[in-house]
Structure formats: C-alpha cells, structure tokens
Amino acid sequence: MAGNKSYTIVEYFGGDDGYRCGYCKNEKGNFSHGMWSHTMTVQDYQDLIDRGWRRSGKYVYKPIMNKTCCPQYTIRCHALKFQPSKSHKKILKKISKFISKEELPKGQEDGEPMDSVCEEAGPREPSLLCHPEVKCTDIADIQKEIAECPTITEVQKEVADAAPTSSETPRNDVASLPDGRTAPAAPKPGMGVDPNRPPCRKAKDLRKERRLQKEQMRQNADGVPSIVTPTSPTPTQINQPKTLEDFIDESLADNASHCLEVRLVPVSFEDPQFTASYQQSVALYARYQMAIHGDDASECSESEFRRFLCDSPLEAESSPDGPEMGYGSFHQQYWLDGRIVAVGVIDILPTCVSSVYLYYHPEFASLSLGSYSALREISFTRQLQKQSPKLCYYYLGFYIHSCPKMRYKGQYRPSDLLCPETYIWVPIERCIPQLDNTRYARLCQDPDAGDARVLTDVGRAMVLYRRTVMPYVAYSRKRKGSSDETEVQQYAGLVGQDCAERILLYRA
C-alpha cells in the first residue's frame, strides 16, 4: 500500500463495445478496456501506465491493441538524454522572436498540440455504468473504515505471506536499456578525422576572430599598443552542445517586449492560485476547443472542463525523496503579459512527468505552443530529477504510428515504446520498421520474453466488498455461485500482479 495508507478503488467495465475513433474516424473501430477510478495512489497509476493504461479525468482506459483500428503505444522520452532537434530549435527561436520583437509568424503551427489521446480518440466518462451507492459514498469514510477494520491486517498478512519477497517491477530494470543510438562504425583506412588538421570551427566563431584580427591590425597600423588578443576557443568550448535549458533561457530575454512566465499550480479548489485563475482557464479551454477542435459550446462547458481536466483520481502525496511540490495532478500555466495563453495539464508520478493535455489561445496557434510546452515539460522533468533521482522520464501519452499526424511524438528522442505483450520498453528506432509493415506489432523481438508481472492466482486479487477489503478467494466464498471469476481474471491480467494485489476492485 502507499505510505500514507491510501487505497486505489476502481470499477472495471471490460471492453466489448467499439466506439468512434478520433484518428481514422471509424465509427466502431476503437476498442479499449475501461475502469472508473474513485481514488488512486500515484504509485498505482505509475504501474498502470507502465502497462499501457491512461487516464481521462477519473476514467482510466487501455486500448485493446490487437483489435483496435489505430493501435496506441505508450511512449516515454529519456528526459536527461534529450537534445533538441533542428525543428525544436526553430520553435524556440520563433518564441524568442515573438517575445523580444513581437514578431508573430503567419500560418499554422508546425508541431501537433500535446493533446490527450483520451480527448481525441478515447471514450467519454461512462457515468451511467458507475454504481450509485459507490459514487455517493464518501471515499474518505470508506478508507477510514478500512483502516480501522481489524480483519484487514489479517487479510494483508495472508496476501503478503503468499506474495514474492521482491516487489520491484520490470520497469525499474528497463532504465538501463539501450537508448536506441548505434555506436559509430570504425573508420575505414584512409578515412576519418585528420589529426594534423585543426578541429572544425563554427562560422560565427571564425567571423568573430577575423573581426578581432582586423581591429588588432588597425591599431598596430595607428601605433596603438595592442590590447585585444583573440583567444581561440578550446576544443571543449567548440564541441560542447547547448542544452535545452540554454535554448529556453535565450528565448526569454530580460529586455524583451513581452513577459512570459510559467506557473505550476496544483489541481485543487483549496489552492488559492488555482481558484483565482479558474474562470480564466475555463474560458480559455472553451475558446480552444471551439476554434481548434470545432466543438459546440455545450461540449466545452465549465462542467466538461472540470470533469476532463480538473477531476483527477490521483491522491496528492509527498515523499522525503520526492519533488518539492509533491506528486499528483497539476496545471502548468503559461502567463503572457498578465494573462493565461496556454495550460499544460500534467501528472507528477514517482518516475515520470506524464503529459495529459494542452490547450491554448487560438490567437497564438502559429507559435507551435504544443511543441513548445513539451520542451518546457521535458526541461521541468530534468529539474525534478535533481530533487528525486528516479524521476527521469517524460511520458507523451500514446504514439499512433498508423496516424501520420501523430508521429511527431517520436521526434522527442531518445524515446521508447511499450511492448503490448511483454510490457518491456523498446527503443523507438527498433519499432519503426515493424510498425511500417503492420499496425499492430509485438515490439519486443525476444521470443522467450513474456509478461513478467502476470497474476497467475486470481484468488490473490484484492476486492472491496461491503466496505471490507479481502482477497478474491475470500470474496468468492462469501458469494457462493458468483459468476464474475472470468471478469476478475481478465482485469487482474490487465493490471498485473502488483496492482491486482494493491488496488481494491469494487464488487457490488
């Protein structure tokens, strides 16, 4: 269980019915398993997204990869190793020009907005499927009763005795996987760098040196003692690439015409910053949805905004070795000259920052704010890693190779895709050839690899029945003749052993 004794409580809905795909527009081609989460710990959600799950508000879903029309592969970027590409640098320069010179480029943005797949192609909240007695129950009261119930300790001990001694999941091992880069081949005889020649120099460094030499020659001709001595940059200075943070800092000049500020705000109506900016955020969301996605006003109301981008099942948590602001759901607000122009919705989890959604003012669509926010979120992940060493990944949601306009997420490298059969992370460079040939692919090419965290004994899955926590084997004895074993077996296989033994599956 989580350190603060919180519980994850979910209802599982299965995944038999198809719904409209937001990518290929197939009316019944998109299939997924779904769960309604009443409350969830950040560690449980971390483990779930590492098995292909994703949240939309409090609804958590997992695409049925070998059945759905547009397979959606979980993608993560190694934030510490990330280097901006040429297109990323162009975007940062575009932002810099706008902030410093008020130059707003014409045309649409180059990159895709970092939208949540849940909004684009996932199902809406299945409110009619939730059991009313659970929806109306105060979860805090349930957790209090669970904590005080004397039988819980016995149940937990029973499960703990049966569980393996190690609780580490494979995802902690895959951090050492290759990042996809190939080692340079040995140069052929007679090829390669000539050690007798000077190292390559940047053009701007050469121009600067020539100016200094001309100045020195002019002063010598005038009889003025030379005080300017050109210094050749050292090899380290020449070859050291600028970091992402360097490019971001350059785009935010102190003497600029505009002031751009990014504020991190917890998604909580008890937080004064969140409540003070709430109405402005609601209005911006509605404007974005109608202009960019063509929604009707009724589809982007305040209640829809709150359900989709404010309601989160994640329990805010803090840890001595975690980030200063703690874990949970946050809004990163982009303030331009005193008004919000974009909001990135993110979840801060034990090993990653997970991008949920981005919405922005349509007036600034040409600034590529989707790509810019992704770069800022990668930089933010690197900042958090200094406080929490294991928090080193940036999750971009789902990568859909069969949808060309969604391939842009693969440009944030080095990155990995999650194998839908083994749940092993595979460098994206190895995956692209397979996905070029077929929409669905087992990305891990080791034929002997399998799901290392599969739950073989469904009796050990934890359930919540009549406000009491018990393993499924005890529940099945109480409910003689229960016919839900197949459903529980399917659920346990989808969430994996660790989550099945921690998450409370609600049983009516």
Side-chain angles (χ1 to χ4, degrees):
M1 300 297 176
N4 59 359
K5 297 184 179 180
S6 294
Y7 287 79
T8 295
I9 303 174
V10 301
E11 294 178 75
Y12 175 64
F13 298 135
D16 296 329
D17 298 329
Y19 50 90
R20 186 176 186 274
C21 176
Y23 302 108
C24 69
K25 311 306 178 184
N26 187 319
E27 291 297 329
K28 292 289 184 180
N30 205 341
F31 291 85
S32 68
H33 298 281
M35 297 190 297
W36 175 255
S37 177
H38 297 277
T39 181
M40 183 172 286
T41 67
V42 291
Q43 184 60 61
D44 284 339
Y45 186 52
Q46 177 72 71
D47 290 344
L48 285 175
I49 64 173
D50 284 337
R51 291 184 67 86
W53 292 85
R54 197 78 183 159
R55 79 173 183 89
S56 171
K58 289 189 174 184
Y59 186 67
V60 188
Y61 78 104
K62 173 181 169 66
I64 303 177
M65 299 290 281
N66 59 356
K67 187 177 180 181
T68 191
C69 54
C70 296
Q72 302 160 50
Y73 298 86
T74 301
I75 181 172
R76 72 176 187 184
C77 171
H78 294 251
L80 302 186
K81 300 177 182 179
F82 173 80
Q83 282 292 335
S85 65
K86 288 184 178 179
S87 62
H88 296 148
K89 294 174 185 176
K90 286 182 180 179
I91 290 169
L92 291 169
K93 289 179 181 178
K94 183 162 54 175
I95 294 289
S96 177
K97 285 184 179 180
F98 169 71
I99 292 176
S100 60
K101 302 178 182 178
E102 300 189 58
E103 293 183 11
L104 191 62
K106 297 180 181 180
Q108 297 301 313
E109 64 172 315
D110 300 325
E112 292 292 329
M114 195 62 64
D115 285 353
S116 164
V117 167
C118 310
E119 213 286 332
E120 287 289 327
R124 291 291 184 177
E125 169 188 326
S127 56
L128 298 179
L129 296 178
C130 298
H131 296 286
E133 62 268 29
V134 176
K135 288 192 70 175
C136 299
T137 302
D138 189 334
I139 296 298
D141 291 342
I142 292 180
Q143 292 180 342
K144 183 178 180 182
E145 289 192 23
I146 290 173
E148 295 174 352
C149 180
T151 61
I152 300 308
T153 304
E154 300 171 6
V155 172
Q156 291 175 340
K157 185 177 185 302
E158 175 187 337
V159 175
D161 292 340
T165 55
S166 175
S167 61
E168 292 296 317
T169 63
R171 62 180 173 75
N172 290 328
D173 298 329
V174 300
S176 59
L177 285 175
D179 60 6
R181 297 177 182 173
T182 57
K188 296 179 181 179
M191 302 292 289
V193 178
D194 184 350
N196 298 319
R197 297 182 62 183
C200 295
R201 303 279 298 279
K202 289 185 177 180
K204 66 177 183 180
D205 291 332
L206 294 172
R207 289 195 298 269
K208 182 178 180 180
E209 185 171 331
R210 283 196 293 268
R211 284 198 304 270
L212 292 172
Q213 288 174 345
K214 287 181 180 179
E215 179 67 18
Q216 186 177 28
M217 292 173 62
R218 185 187 65 78
Q219 291 179 351
N220 289 338
D222 295 340
V224 180
S226 176
I227 57 174
V228 181
T229 55
T231 57
S232 299
T234 63
T236 302
Q237 293 173 324
I238 295 172
N239 299 322
Q240 185 68 34
K242 289 184 180 179
T243 65
L244 172 61
E245 289 72 20
D246 291 334
F247 285 106
I248 291 176
D249 290 342
E250 286 179 359
S251 69
L252 304 174
D254 293 333
N255 58 348
S257 302
H258 293 291
C259 176
L260 178 64
E261 178 187 2
V262 181
R263 303 177 189 175
L264 183 72
V265 181
V267 182
S268 170
F269 286 95
E270 297 179 0
D271 183 84
Q273 277 189 297
F274 181 79
T275 53
S277 59
Y278 177 74
Q279 289 301 330
Q280 190 177 166
S281 292
V282 172
L284 180 62
Y285 168 76
R287 191 165 187 172
Y288 169 81
Q289 292 295 128
M290 289 188 285
I292 304 299
H293 292 294
D295 286 359
D296 294 329
S298 60
E299 297 178 288
C300 44
S301 62
E302 179 180 347
S303 60
E304 183 67 9
F305 169 78
R306 185 164 180 164
R307 178 208 70 79
F308 180 41
L309 298 177
C310 298
D311 289 348
S312 170
L314 300 183
E315 295 281 340
E317 296 181 22
S318 59
S319 172
D321 60 348
E324 182 180 352
M325 70 290 298
Y327 303 109
S329 297
F330 296 82
H331 283 186
Q332 273 198 328
Q333 301 174 339
Y334 293 77
W335 289 77
L336 180 67
D337 301 334
R339 65 166 175 159
I340 302 177
V341 296
V343 177
V345 184
I346 60 173
D347 293 328
I348 300 179
L349 304 175
T351 64
C352 76
V353 169
S354 175
S355 175
V356 178
Y357 200 70
L358 174 90
Y359 57 98
Y360 54 82
H361 198 297
E363 178 183 331
F364 303 103
S366 61
L367 288 176
S368 304
L369 291 177
S371 298
Y372 179 70
S373 68
L375 296 172
R376 292 297 298 257
E377 288 169 8
I378 291 174
S379 176
F380 179 59
T381 304
R382 289 148 70 121
Q383 176 187 336
L384 296 184
Q385 193 274 339
K386 296 176 182 178
Q387 305 172 18
S388 181
K390 62 181 180 179
L391 202 165
C392 58
Y393 296 107
Y394 174 61
Y395 284 49
L396 296 93
F398 287 129
Y399 174 81
I400 305 96
H401 192 75
S402 58
C403 180
K405 74 172 186 177
M406 294 303 293
R407 294 182 185 179
Y408 73 97
K409 294 184 180 183
Q411 298 172 3
Y412 297 86
R413 298 191 181 185
S415 58
D416 306 318
L417 299 184
L418 185 68
C419 176
E421 296 183 11
T422 63
Y423 302 109
I424 292 174
W425 294 100
V426 182
I428 193 170
E429 293 84 357
R430 300 183 191 174
C431 304
I432 298 301
Q434 293 177 268
L435 298 177
D436 282 339
N437 295 326
T438 177
R439 292 190 174 207
Y440 171 76
R442 172 193 165 101
L443 302 178
C444 177
Q445 298 182 9
D446 181 357
D448 298 324
D451 180 4
R453 305 308 298 172
V454 64
L455 181 66
T456 55
D457 181 7
V458 68
R460 288 163 56 179
M462 301 301 289
V463 302
L464 174 62
Y465 177 61
R466 292 185 178 178
R467 298 198 171 202
T468 303
V469 179
M470 63 187 72
Y472 181 75
V473 64
Y475 163 79
S476 60
R477 287 197 297 263
K478 290 178 178 289
R479 291 288 304 273
K480 293 181 180 179
S482 175
S483 59
D484 62 355
E485 182 173 349
T486 301
E487 177 185 322
V488 176
Q489 182 78 55
Q490 182 184 57
Y491 152 82
L494 293 167
V495 303
Q497 176 177 311
D498 295 335
C499 286
E501 294 180 354
R502 290 196 310 259
I503 294 177
L504 308 184
L505 177 63
Y506 175 78
R507 297 282 88 185

